Amino acid sequence: MPKVTVDGVEIEVPNGYTVLQACEEAGKEIPRFCYHERLSIAGNCRMCLVEIEKMPKPVASCGQPVGEGMVIHTDSEKVRQARRGVMEFLLINHPLDCPICDQGGECDLQDEAVGYGRDHTRYEGSKRAVNDKYLGPLVKTVMTRCIHCTRCVRFMAEVAGVPELGAVQRGEHMEITNYVERGLSSELSGNIIDLCPVGALTSKPYAFTARTWELRKTDSIDVFDAVGTNIRIDARGAEVLRVLPRLNDAVNEEWLADKGRFSIDGLKRRRLDRPWLREDGKLRPASWDEAFAAIAGRIKGLDGSRIGAIAGNLCDAESMMALKDLMGALGSANLDCRQDGATFDVSNRAFYRFNTTIEGIDEADALLIVGANPREEAPVLNARLRRRWVETPGFVAGLVGAPADLTYDHEHLGHGGDALKALLDPAHHFTKRLAAAKRPMMIVGSQAFARADAAAVLASCWQIALQTGMLTAEWQGFNVLHNAAARMGALELGFLPGDKGKDIAGMMGGGVDVLWLLGADEFDMSRIGADTFVIYQGHHGDRGAARADVILPGAAYTEKPGTYVNTEGRAQRALRAIFPPGEAREDWAILRAASGALGRPLPYDDLDALRARMIESYPVLGEIGVLRRLGHGGGAAPRGDSGSVSDAPFGRAFATYYQTDPISRASQTMAKCIEEIILPRQIAAE
Amino acid sequence: MNDMTEPAFSFDDTSEALIPAIIAKYPEGKQASAVMPLLDLAQRQMARQTGHAWVPRAAMDAIARRLSMPSMRVYEVATFYTMYHTKPVGRYHLQVCTTTPCWLRGSDEVMEACRKAAEADGETFSIEEVECLGCCVNAPVVQVNDDVYEDLDGPRTEDLLDRLRAGDVPPPGSMIGRQNSAPEGGPTTLFNVGGGKQEGGAE
């Protein structure tokens, strides 16, 4: 542990620290453009110059390792002079277009120029101008503003694993480009907008929309996958204008997937902003009272077993709790949250959680993926897997399921159950490699449970995990990767068929007379019996609303406070950024009002009371943000018969990453992504 | 999107025969180091096949696949070095030196002659202004594809270009018959050297 002196303060820092990190440790701020904690060191902006005694020249602190007894000055006259010089060079070719630049107000260059910039330029030559590049429908470029920090290049190559950006030409002619003028094909491409220290890369859909100081910032949770990415919703008035990631090292570090960032324009389209009632086969606008009266009229006298409820993929735990209570009050045990028809063994939480935890990925040294494509189902988590692969020599990965480009090398072991059965043999070459690893992990996609032999799949996977040392007291390497934000919350709440209750298949085809869909759009509506009375409560006029007899307009995730449980089982709370449009209301409140109209009022009148009741019944949902990481606690293996897995291949969870739910289907930006990113590649492949 | 104008590319038999030897020069797992020789190979193949020495994008993609590296990394290398042409050049690519010694000895006239030729027939001639080619003694010089022609002036350059146009490629080197970089018009020193015995200095 070398001791260094930073501006007269002696501190001790770990070996291998850079001078910049040491200065930060000492509480000194070092300006930087190219350096970023989560990317490799480039050292090309030269803004982080510091003075180190006994060194003849100022040193770029980002790339200089600390040495014993270094005496560092971060704020001497020499340092300030050097940084001013660097800044002057950076600004030579940087246009003075801050007033029309989207980065204005949150621009590193602007901020640092206040400290180190001159009040005028001494440069009289002509500035260079660079053609803008086409990087797809998400990232807008103004390349003349680029200062060549190469953060975007490094991000795409190192974190996203899609090395489509690079620096071509050299010297004065250097340009950042993808060369081929095709949209970036990464699901994490939006992050280069955050990384860009200037306004060269900005958000295309957000262009010229707002200034950062006009925005109201609300902490929330992303609902477009089950990672539980921490986000900040920036709104102005009644409009959500953009979504940015928040820092959370345990979950998303500082990344956010493109669907969560860019599908927010879908929140303004196809919205249900008033109740609707179907009369003579046609939907007509109605009042809340009429809607509730219609529901009460239909449910009156109906036995509880003829009523069912299905919760969708974007629901918060509170609304599902309220719906579950309502169904309980009506005497119904017909609940389901698994629109894809998946079957989970809920006898043990370890059977349906991401037990290793997302942070735990950083310890794994072997990986088996079964029936999942983490790149599409959880892009941020996949970036973590990729980093582990990059950093760990000898990291092996295998995939059973649909072939996919995961951005890291992996062995494709087969498509379906036959490959899984083969892995049960300890002599299988991949099983041997897993067994040889110190901390092997397995990720089973929720898609792998959406088949008739789900119990057998679980049993086989569990047995492979047992055989290969994934289940020890210190290390729990068995993981289920969900792809719906609501799924874990629903499972924790037990939003599942109760005693003698029907599951989703049982409710189809006239299995129930009244079906309450809480934002459920992801199954084939034609399976619902023709005579079934469908109540759709949700925020988008999507598949469910099209089939509904009564539509109750609810709130989208930005419009209600809610608890979401991510695939690890980590409960996180989102806050309300804006109010729901028109007559739409928060979902729990709709259910509370409906319960009154049905003559079975729920025992809470505000969200706090609902939460208190929820947490009392399900304490896990009250442990906000914390997650106890557990080893394998022994216990029984799942009940299924591992030998009876059918050979059928595992399917893909989504047809396309960009449109998976009512919000992203309503989003024009996501439609453009398909048009400009997916289709050209499909055509090129053919 | 310039996909339409980009020609297809695949290594021909002559190139294929050379590739394994090139890749074998680099350690196992570092085969990406072969990107520069392979770019050169592709450029020469294009010259052989089409008469124009350049590297189309399809060739860079083929190299990326061959060396298991991202295409972008190949584009970066190819655009960084000026000797790889990422746009088509003429059958004869004229690199005119305009650095001080050549300029003092009249590279402006050479440049003018070359520019006229390139403007008249871009298919045959393309022109590039370059820095020192290392032949200052015989300045001014022009590099035509791989060879350097020295001791030029305006008329001699025009003559050279005429011969190139006619397909009569003169031997490289001095265009006034100078031997290597010996003094113009024959030796000026060491007249008495002979008979195997050498004496220092001129008389």
Side-chain angles (χ1 to χ4, degrees), chain A residues 163 165-170 181, chain B residues 1 70 72-73 75-76 79-80:
Chain A
L165 280 180
V168 299
Q169 313 290 353
R170 57 167 154 175
E181 301 280 306
Chain B
M1 305 208 181
M72 191 63 229
R73 300 284 96 84
Y75 306 153
E76 285 177 328
T79 55
F80 185 89

Side-chain angles (χ1 to χ4, degrees), chain A residues 363-597:
Chain A
E363 293 165 34
D365 54 3
L367 170 68
L368 172 64
I369 299 171
V370 179
N373 179 352
R375 181 173 170 190
E376 284 189 337
E377 295 173 45
V380 174
L381 187 143
N382 196 54
R384 204 140 177 162
L385 290 170
R386 177 183 149 78
R387 185 180 64 200
R388 194 61 195 149
W389 169 75
V390 169
E391 287 176 355
T392 316
F395 184 93
V396 288
L399 170 68
V400 177
D405 175 7
L406 298 176
T407 71
Y408 38 87
D409 289 345
H410 61 273
E411 190 181 335
H412 189 244
L413 300 162
H415 288 83
D418 45 346
L420 206 54
K421 268 189 278 189
L423 285 169
L424 282 168
D425 178 5
H428 188 283
H429 75 280
F430 197 81
T431 313
K432 275 197 217 154
R433 293 175 81 174
L434 285 176
K438 280 200 197 73
R439 304 219 138 167
M441 68 182 286
M442 175 186 319
I443 295 177
V444 189
S446 63
Q447 197 59 27
F449 299 109
R451 40 195 270 161
D453 57 349
V457 170
L458 174 63
S460 327
C461 291
W462 191 263
Q463 199 177 325
I464 294 169
L466 268 176
Q467 283 173 2
T468 54
M470 290 185 195
L471 304 173
T472 65
E474 308 85 62
W475 177 253
Q476 167 50 295
F478 177 83
N479 300 291
V480 175
L481 179 64
H482 295 277
N483 51 40
R487 187 62 48 82
M488 271 303 281
L491 292 174
E492 301 286 21
L493 281 171
F495 205 98
L496 294 166
D499 190 25
K500 291 188 191 140
K502 290 173 177 149
D503 63 1
I504 183 164
M507 288 186 250
M508 297 296 114
V512 289
D513 292 330
V514 172
L515 185 58
W516 196 301
L517 302 179
L518 181 63
D521 291 287
E522 308 307 321
F523 64 96
D524 181 6
M525 294 295 155
S526 65
R527 287 162 62 204
I528 301 175
D531 296 329
T532 305
F533 184 79
V534 177
I535 303 157
Y536 181 79
Q537 177 184 350
H539 41 80
H540 272 76
D542 207 75
R543 295 166 192 162
R547 170 63 185 83
D549 294 289
V550 178
I551 294 174
L552 305 176
Y557 72 108
T558 50
E559 297 152 8
K560 59 186 170 190
T563 306
Y564 298 92
V565 186
N566 79 352
T567 188
E568 304 167 280
R570 182 193 305 269
Q572 301 185 106
R573 219 161 252 178
L575 301 177
R576 177 175 53 218
I578 56 169
F579 287 97
E583 292 176 39
R585 293 290 177 267
E586 284 172 25
D587 290 282
W588 79 268
I590 296 173
L591 289 157
R592 172 66 185 79
S595 72

Side-chain angles (χ1 to χ4, degrees), chain A residues 134 153 157 163-170 177-182, chain B residues 1-3 57 60-61 70-73 75-76 79-82 86:
Chain A
Y134 171 79
V153 176
E164 287 176 2
L165 280 180
V168 299
Q169 313 290 353
R170 57 167 154 175
T177 176
N178 62 351
Y179 202 75
V180 293
E181 301 280 306
R182 227 167 24 175
Chain B
M1 305 208 181
N2 46 7
D3 291 35
R57 210 181 84 208
M60 297 190 245
D61 291 336
S71 298
M72 191 63 229
R73 300 284 96 84
Y75 306 153
E76 285 177 328
T79 55
F80 185 89
Y81 294 100
T82 52
T86 50

Side-chain angles (χ1 to χ4, degrees), chain A residues 227-302:
Chain A
V227 174
T229 300
N230 292 203
I231 55 169
R232 189 186 92 192
I233 297 172
D234 285 1
R236 186 180 57 191
E239 222 183 337
V240 172
L241 294 180
R242 68 171 176 181
V243 168
L244 296 178
R246 267 187 298 144
L247 216 62
N248 187 337
D249 274 331
V251 181
N252 58 307
E253 299 179 277
E254 56 184 278
W255 316 128
L256 169 60
D258 286 351
K259 200 163 37 176
R261 188 189 295 262
F262 292 110
S263 46
I264 46 164
D265 62 326
L267 291 169
K268 287 178 248 168
R269 300 166 52 80
R270 291 197 215 153
R271 284 305 298 269
L272 301 171
D273 56 358
R274 60 183 311 162
W276 295 77
L277 208 54
R278 192 177 293 277
E279 267 178 11
D280 307 325
K282 266 191 174 159
L283 285 167
R284 69 157 176 91
S287 69
W288 277 106
D289 288 339
E290 283 177 292
F292 286 145
I295 296 170
R298 187 69 183 82
I299 286 183
K300 200 173 176 188
L302 213 57

Side-chain angles (χ1 to χ4, degrees), chain A residues 49-163:
Chain A
L49 294 175
V50 295
E51 195 182 346
I52 300 174
E53 279 181 16
K54 294 188 187 127
M55 289 204 183
K57 293 190 285 183
V59 177
S61 59
C62 67
Q64 177 73 31
V66 287
E68 179 62 44
M70 265 185 181
V71 183
I72 303 159
H73 300 283
T74 67
D75 202 24
S76 65
E77 189 46 41
K78 188 176 173 186
V79 168
R80 264 177 277 154
Q81 205 57 48
R83 289 185 191 157
R84 278 189 208 121
V86 169
M87 176 59 84
E88 190 172 5
F89 276 120
L90 286 176
L91 290 178
I92 275 184
N93 279 321
H94 193 79
L96 272 175
D97 63 349
C98 300
I100 56 153
C101 175
D102 263 327
Q103 193 85 353
E106 48 187 357
C107 174
D108 291 356
L109 190 64
Q110 215 176 25
D111 294 348
E112 298 300 348
V114 173
Y116 299 100
R118 301 173 70 91
D119 56 352
H120 68 286
T121 177
R122 295 188 290 178
Y123 180 71
E124 289 171 354
S126 46
K127 290 191 170 204
R128 83 185 199 132
V130 183
N131 287 339
D132 293 343
K133 306 294 180 296
Y134 171 79
L135 299 183
L138 304 177
V139 183
K140 183 188 155 183
T141 62
V142 184
M143 295 317 282
T144 305
R145 296 181 189 143
C146 178
I147 59 168
H148 307 126
C149 69
T150 68
R151 274 188 190 178
C152 53
V153 176
R154 282 175 284 147
F155 175 85
M156 292 302 280
E158 293 163 15
V159 179
V162 182

Side-chain angles (χ1 to χ4, degrees), chain A residues 319-329 332 335 493-495 618:
Chain A
S319 62
M320 289 188 287
M321 179 76 197
L323 183 56
K324 189 185 177 196
D325 282 346
L326 177 62
M327 287 298 133
S332 166
L335 300 171
L493 281 171
F495 205 98
Y618 309 101

